[in-house]
Amino acid sequence: MALPSIKCQSCSINQLCLPVMLAESEVEHLDSIIQRKKPLTKNEMLFRSGEEFHAIYAVRSGCIKSYTISETGEEQITGFHLAGEIIGLDAISSGKHPSMAKALETSMVCTIPYPKLEMLSGEIPGLRQQLVRVMSREIHDDQELMLLLNKKSADERLAAFLLNLSSRFGKRGLSRTCFNLVMTRGDIANYLGLAVETVSRLFTKLQQNDLIAIKDKEVTITDISKLSVLAGGKCHH
Amino acid sequence: MALPSIKCQSCSINQLCLPVMLAESEVEHLDSIIQRKKPLTKNEMLFRSGEEFHAIYAVRSGCIKSYTISETGEEQITGFHLAGEIIGLDAISSGKHPSMAKALETSMVCTIPYPKLEMLSGEIPGLRQQLVRVMSREIHDDQELMLLLNKKSADERLAAFLLNLSSRFGKRGLSRTCFNLVMTRGDIANYLGLAVETVSRLFTKLQQNDLIAIKDKEVTITDISKLSVLAGGKCHH
DNA sequence: CGTGTCTTTGACAAAAGTCAAAGCTCGTGG
DNA sequence: CCACGAGCTTTGACTTTTGTCAAAGACACG
């Protein structure tokens, strides 16, 4: 590995990632099992469904989309993962990846060999706890998403999606009000269970109502409170 | 506890639950931290959202529904849990229950105090592994559900729902083709993101097409292969 | 044996999907 | 460095699915 190997200890997002609450020496130990390869380029696959499960992955930078393909060939995007987020947790139970992951832009990813992580988590209680917390959080987030998809209208879904991104960028020290949409309208539509055309129309409408402004792929949230109200569900009664 | 305390060791569903792959002595250890209270009666709450998280729960018998309530008061059922399934995993990350759980019929539940489980999982690698497997499986199942809700028509959702129940009853040694629907049409509709009326009409249609037969709350799957085709997505092209 | 909840059915409305077509971007190769 | 083409985005017109409203019937439980 002839790359400028950033260590967990000095990683800017280690408080969003696995090292949370670990002692210095424990982080070092964790760092020692992690592999860092060269960045994924746009559209490069991280793993494919059906592949054997060897490792989970932590996003260091960029954005990775994960998705499943149904028997009938329909693609369903299950998440857009930003720095600090862990990918591949759905593969632990069966030992094979049920989903696929692909870079939406040039992205750095840390490979965490699972058998080693498993062993290490036997020695480091804090690591075990953090892994479980991360998984618990994913379960929780998926449940919230279910509510969104089942109970909200198209406008509400898109508004909630933008606010979710906003908050996640904010946590990473980036602007909450102005950020880049790395995914296509098609990706957003797929994720939210809508048609591309619907998403496009909604973006237009949100702009006309001065809730957001869009320049190319850059979104600016100009009225976050109105957007929040919209996302909350405007009580159609 | 003056109840006929069934132990994990002799529990009929221990191979669907936490004890998977554990040695006899390990199961005993696990059993010793588990509390068994008197059965929950129909509609009794197991926990409410906002409550502090103390334990996860394993269903021993019956059926528990878990659900969230949005800020705007909409209920979203996130799962119907049968014997051997674990509830409350979404609460680990925040320390508070984000969701609620209620018995749909008289149900027995094992309470597994989380701090003790956490400690024990430090000593028993197999237990730690099984806990992670269970969580991984839940993440995976939630992703499949997302695909169902986002990409499938109403018929396909209901067909898939019935097949999912069928398979889960089968795994528990019960009939795959004839079982009781403990949840109401309203519950099914809520879970699948449909209106009650739609679900009712679909049940009627499935009966007319001789895919299922319904007598009161008892469903009989009369043509499982046709039902599978329907659930798969009949390729509208 | 009645009262409230659950279920079914019908008629209608609305949200979102589909189809079609044009304009736009961006990367690539000449 | 420019031109071309593939893929992405937008917009319009129309369709379809599913939701909503309303009401009656069936159960289930006290």
Side-chain angles (χ1 to χ4, degrees), chain A residues 24-224:
Chain A
E24 178 75 11
S25 67
E26 294 170 335
V27 179
E28 263 173 49
H29 211 149
L30 172 62
D31 182 79
S32 73
I33 69 164
I34 291 181
Q35 297 160 14
R36 297 182 181 80
K37 305 195 208 125
K38 67 173 190 295
L40 294 172
T41 59
K42 188 174 171 174
N43 290 325
E44 196 176 341
M45 301 295 299
L46 180 55
F47 53 79
R48 292 186 153 77
S49 69
E51 282 180 13
E52 229 173 289
F53 169 66
H54 295 118
I56 61 176
Y57 303 90
V59 181
R60 252 194 62 68
S61 69
C63 184
I64 308 283
K65 83 167 174 183
S66 55
Y67 56 104
T68 57
I69 307 267
S70 76
E71 330 76 54
T72 49
E74 299 146 306
E75 173 176 324
Q76 171 63 51
I77 299 178
T78 51
F80 301 107
H81 307 282
L82 304 182
E85 295 174 348
I86 308 289
I87 315 178
L89 295 169
D90 56 345
I92 298 176
S93 71
S94 68
K96 293 211 180 288
H97 283 286
S99 58
M100 354 226 324
K102 181 195 264 190
L104 288 179
E105 60 184 333
T106 305
S107 305
M108 303 255 284
V109 168
C110 300
T111 301
I112 311 170
Y114 188 69
K116 287 185 187 167
L117 179 65
E118 212 295 310
M119 226 149 27
L120 206 55
S121 78
E123 298 164 28
I124 307 177
L127 181 58
R128 180 175 78 227
Q129 287 156 16
Q130 179 61 7
L131 182 62
V132 169
R133 271 196 299 265
V134 166
M135 296 185 82
S136 170
R137 191 186 163 79
E138 181 155 347
I139 291 170
H140 173 240
D141 289 349
D142 285 351
Q143 287 175 3
E144 291 221 310
L145 192 54
M146 246 179 95
L147 194 147
L148 189 76
L149 299 176
N150 260 352
K151 295 285 171 307
K152 305 288 190 176
S153 69
D155 324 66
E156 292 164 354
R157 293 187 208 181
L158 186 58
F161 173 73
L162 290 173
L163 287 171
N164 176 282
L165 275 185
S166 163
S167 140
R168 284 156 71 201
F169 281 123
K171 285 200 186 103
R172 282 154 187 82
L174 303 167
S175 168
R176 285 174 192 273
T177 53
C178 181
F179 46 86
N180 233 41
L181 285 180
V182 287
M183 63 294 285
T184 66
R185 303 299 144 98
D187 282 340
I188 298 173
N190 181 298
Y191 180 66
L192 296 176
L194 302 169
V196 198
E197 294 93 329
T198 305
V199 170
S200 178
R201 280 185 250 268
L202 289 175
F203 268 122
T204 308
K205 204 173 94 184
L206 287 178
Q207 280 184 94
Q208 285 168 349
N209 298 348
D210 289 320
L211 301 188
I212 63 170
I214 299 186
K215 175 86 166 75
D216 293 333
K217 303 223 119 195
E218 190 183 86
V219 191
T220 308
I221 300 179
T222 44
D223 194 334
I224 201 162

Side-chain angles (χ1 to χ4, degrees), chain B residues 156-202:
Chain B
E156 292 164 353
R157 291 187 210 182
L158 186 58
F161 174 73
L162 290 173
L163 288 170
N164 176 282
L165 275 185
S166 163
S167 140
R168 283 156 72 203
F169 281 122
K171 284 203 185 100
R172 283 155 186 82
L174 304 166
S175 169
R176 284 174 192 273
T177 53
C178 181
F179 46 85
N180 233 41
L181 285 180
V182 286
M183 64 293 286
T184 66
R185 304 299 145 97
D187 282 339
I188 298 174
N190 182 298
Y191 180 65
L192 296 177
L194 301 169
V196 198
E197 295 92 330
T198 305
V199 170
S200 178
R201 280 185 249 269
L202 290 175

Side-chain angles (χ1 to χ4, degrees), chain B residues 120-138:
Chain B
L120 204 56
S121 78
E123 297 164 29
I124 307 177
L127 181 59
R128 179 175 79 228
Q129 287 157 14
Q130 179 59 8
L131 181 63
V132 168
R133 271 196 299 266
V134 166
M135 296 185 81
S136 169
R137 191 184 162 81
E138 179 153 348

